[in-house]
Amino acid sequence: MEYKYARRISSIKASEIRELLKLTEKPEVISFAGGLPAPELFPIEEIKAANNYVLEHNGGQALQYSTTEGYQPLRKWIAERMNSQLGTSFCDENIMITHGSQQALDLSGKVFLDEGDAVLCESPTYLAAISAFKSYGCKFVEVETDGEGMIISELEKALKAFPASKIIYIIPNFQNPTGRTWSLERRQQVADISAKYNVIVIEDNPYGELRYEGDFLTSVKSFDRTGNIVCTGTFSKIFCPGYRIGWIAGDKDVIQKYVLVKQGVDLQCNTIAQMVIAAYLEKYDIDAHINKIREVYRRRRDVAIDAISRYFPPDTKYTKPEGGLFLWVELNDRINTVKLLERCLEHDVAFVPGNSFFPNTNKSNTLRINFSNTQEGKIADGIARIGNVLKEFK
Amino acid sequence: MEYKYARRISSIKASEIRELLKLTEKPEVISFAGGLPAPELFPIEEIKAANNYVLEHNGGQALQYSTTEGYQPLRKWIAERMNSQLGTSFCDENIMITHGSQQALDLSGKVFLDEGDAVLCESPTYLAAISAFKSYGCKFVEVETDGEGMIISELEKALKAFPASKIIYIIPNFQNPTGRTWSLERRQQVADISAKYNVIVIEDNPYGELRYEGDFLTSVKSFDRTGNIVCTGTFSKIFCPGYRIGWIAGDKDVIQKYVLVKQGVDLQCNTIAQMVIAAYLEKYDIDAHINKIREVYRRRRDVAIDAISRYFPPDTKYTKPEGGLFLWVELNDRINTVKLLERCLEHDVAFVPGNSFFPNTNKSNTLRINFSNTQEGKIADGIARIGNVLKEFK
C-alpha cells in the first residue's frame, strides 16, 4: 500500500534517544542515555494519599472534562512559584497547563511557525525541540554558544541574515545537552534583542529548580519589556514525569492563542493529574522534596565528573554543570561517538552521541552523559567501561 | 505588541461549545450543551482501588517516562476488544494510545494533511474535528448524508471533483451531532470507495459501545482490503474523560508514522493513567459498567424524545438515535437557533446551535441536544423551557 502522507512526514525521523532507550532496557546495562529522573525519589506514598484525597472529595470533578487552560489552583501555584523563583509577574491567567514541556514546545511551533520561518537555537540544542519545531517546516540557525549562553553579536548577525526569524529558542539553566547556564548579562541582552527585532524568545526551563551550587539566577522573562518572551516549565523533574504535566507561561493574549490551538489538539490535560499535583503541593513540602533530589543528583554529578577525569583520555573536554541532569563531553576530533556507542553497548554501557543535538552541523566527537538516573555506586563503573572502550579508539 | 503569529492562527476560532460551557456553569442552568458523560456513573471507588494497586505494586514505573506507543497490556486489551466488537483483526502493534480521540484526530491531520488538501465529511459533522483538521490548512467538502450515512453517489462525485481529497472523515455510530448510524451496506461501500480512490478513511467511534436498541454493527474497518482505514476510540464515554485516554488503530506502518509524530508532539500519554485503566479492566467487569451507563442514558434519551414531541412545535423534525449522547433537531426555516439560544439562556436552559457543525454551509434552524448529562427528572423541564421560548419565535 502506497500511503499519501503529508510532506512533513518525510522530515520526521525516529528519535535516537528513544530508539536507544529500547536497547538499554536490559538490567545489566548502565545507561547514561535518556533524561530520566531517579524513580527511587518519586514521592509514591504522598501521591497515593493525594490521589485518594482528590477522589474522595472531588471524584466527579476529577474524572470529568474540564477547561483547556487547566486547573485554576494549579495555575495559580505555578504563577506564584515562577514569580518568587524567576522574577516574573504572572497570575493564573498567564499560565496554560500542557502535556509536559514537550507539548509547550510543539504548541509554540503551531502558534508561531509558518513553513520557511527560522528558529534560532543554541549550538548544540535539545533534540526533541528540533523535532517539535521541524514538523512546522521551519529551518534552524545555530547560533554560536559559549559558557555564558549565545554569543550576542552572533545572534544579531543571524537575525540580520535571516529576516524570517520567528523564534529564539534557549534553555538558560543547565542546558540540555551541555549542562551550561547563561550569565545574567546575556539573559538581559537576549531580552533586549528580542524587543529590538520583534522576535519571540522561548525560554525553556525544565531543570531550573535543580541547582547544586552557585546562586539562582533570574529568568530572561524578568527582563522582558514587550511581551515577546514565553516560558515553559514542567513537573517532570521535580515531581515525576509519568503524569505529563507541564506548562506554558506568557502574556495573556499570547496564552489565549495557545488555548485556542490546544482545544483542537487534545481539548485539555488530564483533570485528575492536575488536581492530584495541586493537592500534593498543598499538603506536602515540595521544597523539602526538591532538596532531597538536589542532594542525590549533586553527588551523582560529582562522581560522574570525578570518574571522567580519571578514566577518559587527557585531551577530553567536558562541562561541570551547576545543576540539571546532563554533562557534555568533547573527545578528540578523530573519535566518532556513534561508533563508540556501538562498541560500548557490547560492554553494557550507553550514552547519547552528540551529533543529533546539532540541527545543521556535524560534531561527531561529542556525547551527552545523563547522571541523574544511575545509582551512585554504578556511575564510576559505567564511566570506566566507556574509558576502556576509548582506549581502542587511539 | 503586534505578535507575528503563524498564518493558521487566523483560521482558528474559539470553540462555541467550550465558550458555552462557561455560560452554563451556574447550577440553575439545565444544559443540553456540551457532550459530557454523567459523573454520577464514574466508578470512583474502583478507580481509587486500581490506582492504589498500581502505586503499591509498580509505583516507580507508573510515575516514570514510558514509550510513545503506550502501555502494552492496555493496547492488547483495546485490540482484542475491537476485534470482538467491531470485526477487526488488530494486535497491540496496531494501537497507539492518544490523549483522547481528539488527539487521534489532530495527529491524523499532522500525518496526512498538506495545505490545500480536502477532507470529505458528513454534513453536519463533529465540530472539534473541523478545528483539528483546519489547523493543517485543509478545505472541507460536505457530502450529503441521510439516515444511512453518506450518500455514496455524492461521495464519489466529490472525490472526482476534488482530486486533492486525502481523508474521508466519518462517525458511523450515533454520530455527533445527529445521533445517526450508518447502515451496513454503506459501511462496505465507503470501504470500497476508499480503496478505489486511495483515500484514507478516519472512522471515529467514540460512542459505539453505547447502543440502547438494535444490533451492534461491524465497523467500516472490517471491510478494509487495502489498509486505508484508520480507527479512533476512547475511554471517555465508557469509563471517564478526565484521564484523557483514547487511541488510534490502523495498519502497523501507518501507526509507526503516528508514533514518530507523537514523539515530537508530547512524547507519550500519562503512564499512570494507562496503568490504572489496565488494572481496572483486569479487576472489574467493564461490560457490567457499560450496561449500567446504557440503562441510564437510554431512559434519558426516551424522556428527551418524548418531551420534544410534546413541547416543540408540530413542524419540528428530530432524530431518534439508537445510541450515543446526542439528538438533532431541525426547526422551522424561519428560526435562527443562535438567537433562540440567547433567549433560552435567560430562562436557564442551553443547547448547541447547529450551524457550527457545518464547515461550509449554513443551517441556522438546527440544534444539538445532549441528553447524557442531565438527570432524568430535569430533562422534560428543560425541553419544556425551550418549547416555551419557541412560542415567541412564531
Side-chain angles (χ1 to χ4, degrees), chain A residues 1 3 6-8 18 37 48 51 56 63-66 102 110-111 114 135 198 227 237 242 264 271, chain B residues 1 3 6-8 18 37 48 51 56 63-66 102 110-111 114 135 198 227 237 242 264 270-271:
Chain A
M1 180 67 233
Y3 292 104
R7 284 194 310 275
R8 70 180 69 82
R18 294 186 82 82
K48 207 168 91 177
N51 192 84
E56 278 155 27
L63 301 173
Q64 186 58 288
Y65 286 110
S66 58
Q102 185 66 32
K110 199 152 186 176
V111 167
D114 286 314
S135 74
N198 189 15
K237 312 303 189 236
T271 317
Chain B
M1 179 68 232
Y3 292 102
R7 283 194 311 273
R8 71 180 68 81
R18 294 187 82 82
K48 208 168 89 178
N51 193 84
E56 278 155 28
L63 301 171
Q64 185 60 287
Y65 287 110
S66 58
Q102 185 67 32
K110 201 153 185 175
V111 167
D114 286 315
S135 75
N198 190 14
K237 312 304 189 239
N270 189 313
T271 318

Side-chain angles (χ1 to χ4, degrees), chain A residues 92 98 141 208:
Chain A
D92 57 343
T98 58
V141 181

